[in-house]
Amino acid sequence: MKILGIESSHDDASVALLDNDSIVVMTSYSQIDIHAQFGGTIPEVASREHIKNFAFILEDLKSKGIDFTIVDAIAYTKEPGLLGSLQVGFLFASALAMFYNKPLIPINHLHGHFWSAAIEQNLKFPVLGLLLSGGHSQFILAKTPFNLELVGTTQDDALGEIYDKIARKLGLGFPGGPKIDKLNQEFTLNSSELINFTIPGQNPEFLLNFSFSGLKTQVINYIHKNKDKLDSKMQKNIAISFQKTIIKYLKSKINLALEIYPEIQTLTLMGGVAANLEIRQLIKSYEQLNTVVPKMQYCTDNGAMIAKAAQMKLVEENQ
Ligand code: KG4
Ligand code: ZN
């Protein structure tokens, strides 16, 4: 079974060909350099860029000898995402499906992220997926491969957004996650340098839901209060202290999830924030579980995860 997966929900245009259990090819175009000039994604710009990028992708796939006539189905991201961006991907998928007379499979982007963990590994179920990106912060529980349940989500901002906002306030640039991650890898704070930000969302009613905006406000207030002293040392102390608070928070949430669902066999991490070294290490530290952190190209938005999710959808339909 050969499935073409097309992703365009945000600012990445990506197409991959899945042949049974392996990704034969994947071509992705990021727009990060363009949006970095504006300090964030401009939806109108994103859809216009997608139009150009899908044309490049098509040329690239053809030059690699990909024969669309042998594809069995074409999957695309239907939702959620930026409406204009989704529309471009849908039109690209529809044009290919019409021209080559192939069935179209609509895929939920979040299911795509969940299945990114299965691209190169067999998952042992039940699986708990932690999806952390610029648009989403969620726990997805799959007791079986065909029962994906949202068991926790952010009540306000997504974690990637928080990294970006704090880095911007600190003058570190966009996207903020990699900048804060780099400082955290390069420097270790001593106890007098560490700022004690409060771990967010400790209200027991929150269960597995997240709330990041309180921590964001705390950090931003701290920056404002100390703006006269904001040299590179202070910048570093704030960024690293924020990172440490996030680790404590994620750890407490994962621990709670494991208490609520002791049957969990596998813990996975997905989404762009999964690039964060300390968060990856946190996931790997759960040695009593199988832990899966996909390759970076499958953590950020990509066509392979959409093809994989479509494959699983077909397996379910044929059961
Ligand atoms: O999934 P993704 O590539 O795109 C969308 O959400 O559309 O995630 C992007 C987010 C950005 O907010 C970025 O700052 C964050 O992922 N990010 C990171 C790191 N690399 C990217 N956050 C923390 N640490 C990182 N190393
Ligand atoms: Zn995504």
Side-chain angles (χ1 to χ4, degrees), residues 9 109 113 133 136 301 305:
S9 65
H109 179 75
H113 272 301
S133 74
H136 303 279
D301 292 347
M305 70 185 195

Side-chain angles (χ1 to χ4, degrees), residues 14 72 122 144 159 164 174 217 234 261 269:
S14 177
D72 296 294
N122 283 325
T144 75
L159 181 54
D164 293 338
F174 176 85
T217 309
M234 165 88 65
Y261 303 107
L269 175 68

Side-chain angles (χ1 to χ4, degrees), residues 144-165:
T144 75
F146 309 119
N147 178 18
L148 269 51
E149 207 186 325
L150 185 67
V151 291
T153 188
T154 179
Q155 304 297 297
D156 36 62
D157 297 344
L159 181 54
E161 249 179 307
I162 299 283
Y163 271 100
D164 293 338
K165 284 181 185 161

Side-chain angles (χ1 to χ4, degrees), residues 3 18 20-21 306-316:
I3 302 174
L18 175 70
N20 292 316
D21 284 333
I306 300 304
K308 188 73 199 177
Q311 186 186 54
M312 295 311 297
K313 199 170 175 177
L314 292 177
V315 172
E316 183 178 9

Side-chain angles (χ1 to χ4, degrees), residues 170 172 183-184 187-195 197 222-223 226-242:
L170 285 172
L172 295 173
L183 285 176
N184 186 51
F187 302 98
T188 308
L189 300 188
N190 61 42
S191 53
S192 68
E193 292 168 320
L194 198 67
I195 305 154
F197 295 121
Y222 191 94
I223 297 171
N226 292 283
K227 65 175 185 300
D228 298 336
K229 295 185 258 172
L230 197 67
D231 55 7
S232 65
K233 187 162 182 283
M234 165 88 65
Q235 220 181 23
K236 182 185 79 185
N237 292 357
I238 296 172
I240 299 175
S241 302
F242 160 72

Side-chain angles (χ1 to χ4, degrees), residues 21-312:
D21 284 333
S22 58
I23 297 295
V24 178
V25 67
M26 182 163 90
T27 302
S28 304
Y29 274 73
S30 163
Q31 302 176 14
I32 203 82
D33 295 341
I34 296 168
H35 298 293
Q37 298 163 29
F38 303 104
T41 309
I42 310 286
E44 171 69 21
V45 175
S47 8
R48 285 173 189 273
E49 286 299 311
H50 275 327
I51 294 171
K52 280 194 270 174
N53 291 344
F54 276 114
F56 292 138
I57 288 176
L58 189 58
E59 284 313 308
D60 184 63
L61 293 176
K62 282 184 173 169
S63 74
K64 287 180 174 144
I66 300 301
D67 174 9
F68 294 107
T69 60
I70 50 118
V71 166
D72 296 294
I74 297 178
Y76 70 98
T77 302
K78 179 165 186 269
E79 59 186 357
L82 298 172
L83 289 181
S85 292
L86 288 168
Q87 195 66 10
V88 177
F90 168 63
L91 291 173
F92 180 67
S94 302
L96 285 178
M98 251 189 263
F99 190 80
Y100 291 102
N101 195 23
K102 304 292 177 187
L104 262 184
I105 306 177
I107 293 296
N108 178 300
H109 179 75
L110 306 173
H111 289 184
H113 272 301
F114 178 85
W115 285 113
S116 68
I119 292 173
E120 295 191 310
Q121 316 247 356
N122 283 325
L123 300 179
K124 263 199 192 154
F125 287 79
V127 176
L128 179 71
L130 176 57
L131 165 59
L132 301 172
S133 74
H136 303 279
S137 302
Q138 306 188 328
F139 276 120
I140 301 169
L141 177 69
K143 289 190 177 147
T144 75
F146 309 119
N147 178 18
L148 269 51
E149 207 186 325
L150 185 67
V151 291
T153 188
T154 179
Q155 304 297 297
D156 36 62
D157 297 344
L159 181 54
E161 249 179 307
I162 299 283
Y163 271 100
D164 293 338
K165 284 181 185 161
I166 288 176
R168 194 177 309 134
K169 274 277 167 198
L170 285 172
L172 295 173
F174 176 85
K179 315 269 179 195
I180 294 177
D181 188 11
K182 188 161 178 278
L183 285 176
N184 186 51
Q185 285 180 46
E186 283 174 357
F187 302 98
T188 308
L189 300 188
N190 61 42
S191 53
S192 68
E193 292 168 320
L194 198 67
I195 305 154
N196 256 327
F197 295 121
T198 317
I199 301 181
Q202 290 305 80
N203 182 341
E205 282 170 24
F206 258 73
L207 288 172
L208 298 181
N209 291 319
F210 295 102
S211 167
F212 295 107
S213 69
L215 175 61
K216 176 186 71 182
T217 309
Q218 261 187 78
V219 178
I220 290 178
N221 285 346
Y222 191 94
I223 297 171
H224 285 164
K225 243 199 272 165
N226 292 283
K227 65 175 185 300
D228 298 336
K229 295 185 258 172
L230 197 67
D231 55 7
S232 65
K233 187 162 182 283
M234 165 88 65
Q235 220 181 23
K236 182 185 79 185
N237 292 357
I238 296 172
I240 299 175
S241 302
F242 160 72
Q243 166 78 34
K244 300 298 175 205
T245 313
I246 289 297
I247 294 295
K248 277 193 211 155
Y249 185 41
L250 294 177
K251 193 172 179 176
S252 73
K253 286 291 180 186
I254 296 169
N255 290 347
L256 181 61
L258 297 179
E259 257 175 55
I260 301 175
Y261 303 107
E263 67 272 31
I264 288 166
Q265 295 277 321
T266 304
L267 177 63
T268 68
L269 175 68
M270 306 85 64
V273 182
N276 188 281
L277 185 70
E278 208 176 6
I279 301 178
R280 295 171 87 84
Q281 286 168 343
L282 171 68
I283 299 299
K284 295 279 175 201
S285 73
Y286 287 86
E287 286 172 358
Q288 74 276 28
L289 301 172
N290 302 298
T291 56
V292 181
V293 183
K295 272 189 196 142
M296 245 354 266
Q297 74 248 41
Y298 301 139
C299 279
T300 54
D301 292 347
N302 66 87
M305 70 185 195
I306 300 304
K308 188 73 199 177
Q311 186 186 54
M312 295 311 297

